[in-house]
Amino acid sequence: QVQLVESGGGLVQAGDSLRLSCAASGRTFTAYVMGWFRQAAGKERDFVAAISWSGYNTNYADSVKGRFTISRDNVKNTVYLQLNSLKPEDTAVYYCAASERANVWRLHAGTVDSWGQGTQVTVSS
């Protein structure tokens, strides 16, 4: 399995931006569809975005389309999530995810092979 370590979370104000990073190690990075999920307090872990091994295909939850951008660097074995125009409802723990089983349109919590430890994003109004 691949090991994932997120970074880049923090406390920001509404309208601000953040960039999350997820560094992968242990297996061939390009074997995986990579994604981001988030979990707000007391709620389920929800899909946010996914990117194919090549970076050519991406998929986003409706709630973040046009504001968040997922990308990957296959040389650095890192996937990124750029969060723009942040809203208080974006507050959550953000988790990096890797899957060998799903494509970008079918990535969900049940098809994730490896999870990162999570990074907190808090957006104040």
Side-chain angles (χ1 to χ4, degrees):
Q1 279 190 338
V2 65
Q3 288 77 49
L4 305 172
V5 179
E6 301 101 331
S7 61
L11 172 62
V12 297
Q13 293 186 334
D16 285 351
S17 298
L18 278 176
R19 189 176 81 155
L20 308 183
S21 299
C22 172
S25 62
R27 286 284 306 273
T28 304
F29 185 59
T30 52
Y32 293 90
V33 165
M34 298 299 297
W36 290 92
F37 289 71
R38 65 186 182 184
Q39 187 168 19
K43 297 189 176 181
E44 294 185 349
R45 191 171 297 188
D46 292 330
F47 169 79
V48 174
I51 188 167
S52 62
W53 71 268
S54 66
Y56 185 78
N57 293 310
T58 57
N59 186 30
Y60 296 92
D62 288 344
S63 58
V64 306
K65 280 181 182 176
R67 300 189 299 121
F68 292 8
T69 302
I70 189 171
S71 61
R72 66 190 293 165
D73 184 332
N74 288 339
V75 174
K76 295 182 178 180
N77 288 354
T78 301
V79 61
Y80 304 97
L81 186 68
Q82 178 68 40
L83 294 70
N84 296 332
S85 302
L86 281 160
K87 304 175 181 179
E89 51 263 43
D90 294 318
T91 295
V93 178
Y94 283 71
Y95 294 91
C96 181
S99 175
E100 289 185 286
R101 296 176 281 161
N103 59 36
V104 297
W105 296 279
R106 296 186 180 275
L107 183 65
H108 58 81
T111 58
V112 171
D113 296 307
S114 297
W115 293 100
Q117 82 285 358
T119 186
Q120 177 72 45
V121 172
T122 303
V123 185
S124 63
S125 57

